[in-house]
Amino acid sequence: MADFEFGPRNVMLMIIGLVLLIFIIWMGSTYNKFVQMEEDIDGNWNEIMNQEERKFDLIPQLVNQSEQYQEFEKSTLENITALRTQWMSAGSDEERLEVSDEMGSLIDDIIITYEAYPYLQAEGPLRAVMDEMAGTENRIAYRRTKYIEAVKDYNAGIKKFPGVLVANMFGFEERENLYGSSPGS
Amino acid sequence: MRQFTVLMALLAAALLLGISSSGIVTADYPVLSDYITDEEGVVEYSEWYDDIYWVCEVLERGTSTVMAILVINSTGDEEIAMYATEVFNENGIGQEDKDNGVLIVVAVGDGTYFVAVGLGLEGVLNDAKVGRYGREQFEPYADIGDYGQGLYYLALWIGAEIEEHYEEAEEKDYPIDWIPLEWPQLLLAIAVTGIILVLTGGRLIIWIGPLLRNLGKGKAGGGGAGGVFRK
């Protein structure tokens, strides 16, 4: 076996080997990071849809309780019921989001009425369903923020150098933010 | 040759920096190191402080649920529900595998409060129940500026609800009952602490307080309820 010498050629080979090793480790770690980021996007989106589902499940209760008070407009309650039917027959997440937006403005009308009459806010079934509705909206708002952040971070990650190298190599594609540019809407 | 070596070394350093910086997290939220964090001094110096602390302690011992309280002046532009959920998740309140934490945030200057409930407790503490406890137990006292008493009753009712419905999977016996570590982990922790104490010339003491009161790694998803009171 030949003796190993720390000659210029061997040192160079060692450095190249080390750099390659670091590059492979970095590539693996970046790949895993992108996979995790995609999981985060999908996880947050699924949770948004679960909570939207929960919101629409609460609608019959909300309508039943609200109907007992003349302060709530009958037409608003009828529209809410119709939107729930639309939600249930929606074929895609995008469609569901549109229905949910429309529903949001009708629920806002109900909340405005509810807050205008203090006696409506007495402890009881209506108060309970309003608390559940508010809690569901909080969950959606929280997940929506996380979803938008996750999409933004992921899209920036796969476009920036050096992440773009791994993204192109393994086919990571840009993800669409389904809330568009105005997340608060 | 030398230039090539320097270039390769720089590339390696850049890649290493890229790997190490990928996990950096910036936190703008308060760090909670104990059951009660009172930035406004409205609870810390009240006669109710010990009672609130006792409720939190008994709850954790009995059910492993961690209940924390944060009093601040304002959440700024952020909604208190979002703020509380972010603080909850940044600090990881409750056990990692159970997500059984509760965080009560009171923003004295804004006149708002929110009770953030961990994912594992949402079945026990639904939004309607938490909302009712807030209105009945906390708001009447907060309206007159008696935050200590309001928080005590709110914590007590929430604690009682959890105690009544929460099923603890298993109770473990630890060498020191208030430190959840087995013998080997405990000895290792003592040895590591000793070495670091010697190496840092005792400066570790500055950080050891918060480390002893670990609130866990639980998660919340925005559930809970809150309300307003007269500032």
Side-chain angles (χ1 to χ4, degrees):
Chain A
M1 194 172 130
D3 286 339
F4 181 80
E5 269 184 54
F6 276 99
R9 189 167 172 277
N10 284 345
V11 169
M12 198 176 95
L13 282 174
M14 280 168 66
I15 291 171
I16 290 172
L18 186 69
V19 169
L20 274 178
L21 183 70
I22 292 170
F23 181 73
I24 290 166
I25 293 171
W26 168 81
M27 210 165 66
S29 127
T30 306
Y31 175 86
N32 287 343
K33 191 176 82 177
F34 289 155
V35 170
Q36 183 58 52
M37 286 169 122
E38 283 196 313
E39 292 284 319
D40 286 347
I41 293 171
D42 295 338
N44 281 312
W45 181 255
N46 290 338
E47 191 52 35
I48 289 169
M49 284 296 121
N50 285 341
Q51 292 304 327
E52 289 284 1
E53 190 89 47
R54 183 174 184 246
K55 183 169 86 181
F56 279 83
D57 286 347
L58 284 169
I59 293 299
Q61 254 178 286
L62 179 72
V63 171
N64 280 344
Q65 294 305 323
S66 306
E67 270 174 349
Q68 297 172 28
Y69 302 95
Q70 57 181 15
E71 285 78 5
F72 296 104
E73 277 184 35
K74 210 177 167 198
S75 61
T76 309
L77 299 179
E78 280 169 2
N79 288 340
I80 282 184
T81 308
L83 278 177
R84 183 170 184 263
T85 312
Q86 239 177 289
W87 161 270
M88 288 164 78
S89 60
S92 67
D93 285 348
E94 286 84 347
E95 242 180 278
R96 286 193 187 93
L97 269 193
E98 274 175 38
V99 179
S100 178
D101 275 353
E102 280 182 61
M103 178 64 91
S105 55
L106 290 178
I107 289 177
D108 284 347
D109 288 346
I110 290 200
I111 290 171
I112 289 167
T113 309
Y114 172 77
E115 286 176 347
Y117 298 92
Y119 90 94
L120 293 175
Q121 295 165 35
E123 293 299 340
L126 178 61
R127 179 101 224 195
V129 77
M130 291 304 266
D131 279 343
E132 291 291 341
M133 193 59 90
T136 307
E137 289 290 1
N138 285 339
R139 288 181 182 88
I140 292 171
Y142 177 73
R143 288 292 172 185
R144 187 169 52 203
T145 309
K146 293 288 156 195
Y147 166 79
I148 291 167
E149 277 173 13
V151 172
K152 199 173 138 198
D153 289 348
Y154 170 81
N155 286 341
I158 62 165
K159 279 183 204 161
K160 279 183 189 169
F161 182 83
V164 66
L165 301 175
V166 176
N168 287 341
M169 201 180 293
F170 294 101
F172 287 98
E173 285 174 5
E174 191 172 350
R175 299 285 291 260
E176 185 192 358
N177 172 8
L178 294 171
Y179 283 101
S181 53
S182 55
S185 63
Chain B
M1 168 73 188
R2 180 171 290 174
Q3 278 174 338
F4 180 75
T5 309
V6 169
L7 191 70
M8 294 304 261
L10 280 175
L11 182 61
L15 286 173
L16 275 174
L17 195 68
I19 293 167
S20 61
S21 65
S22 61
I24 291 173
V25 177
T26 51
D28 298 326
Y29 296 98
V31 176
L32 312 185
S33 56
D34 210 339
Y35 293 130
I36 304 170
T37 307
D38 181 8
E39 293 182 358
E40 294 298 295
V42 293
V43 178
E44 203 174 342
Y45 303 109
S46 84
E47 58 185 308
W48 296 96
Y49 181 88
D50 289 343
D51 297 311
I52 300 169
Y53 201 96
W54 174 80
V55 169
C56 298
E57 208 168 35
V58 168
L59 183 67
E60 186 172 6
R61 281 192 193 189
T63 67
S64 81
T65 299
V66 178
M67 178 152 53
I69 290 158
L70 170 66
V71 182
I72 51 168
N73 181 263
S74 170
T75 60
D77 295 335
E78 203 168 358
E79 288 246 340
I80 192 160
M82 289 291 286
Y83 179 89
T85 310
E86 290 285 4
V87 174
F88 190 117
N89 288 326
E90 287 284 332
N91 285 276
I93 296 164
Q95 312 300 315
E96 186 175 15
D97 49 344
K98 295 177 185 165
D99 297 323
N100 56 350
V102 176
L103 173 67
I104 305 171
V105 178
V106 181
V108 177
D110 298 339
T112 55
Y113 71 98
F114 190 82
V115 182
V117 176
L119 291 167
L121 284 176
E122 287 190 356
V124 175
L125 286 170
N126 62 43
D127 304 333
K129 215 177 268 181
V130 176
R132 186 158 56 83
Y133 289 160
R135 286 187 295 275
E136 290 177 352
Q137 306 303 324
F138 179 71
E139 289 179 23
Y141 295 104
D143 280 342
I144 54 170
D146 191 351
Y147 303 105
Q149 192 164 356
L151 281 169
Y152 169 69
Y153 284 116
L154 179 58
L156 191 66
W157 277 74
I158 289 174
E161 187 69 37
I162 295 169
E163 283 265 6
E164 196 181 329
H165 294 102
Y166 196 68
E167 286 174 22
E168 178 63 17
E170 55 177 313
E171 201 146 312
K172 279 188 175 176
D173 284 328
Y174 296 109
I176 302 174
D177 63 356
W178 52 275
I179 301 179
L181 295 176
E182 307 280 1
W183 268 119
Q185 298 166 318
L186 190 64
L187 291 173
L188 184 68
I190 291 169
V192 170
T193 308
I195 292 167
I196 297 175
L197 267 174
V198 171
L199 291 176
T200 62
R203 283 191 294 275
L204 177 70
I205 294 292
I206 297 167
W207 305 297
I208 210 161
L211 287 176
L212 282 176
R213 178 66 264 140
N214 181 9
L215 295 177
K217 288 182 179 170
K219 289 186 288 294
V228 293
F229 53 85
R230 283 193 287 274
K231 301 187 248 180

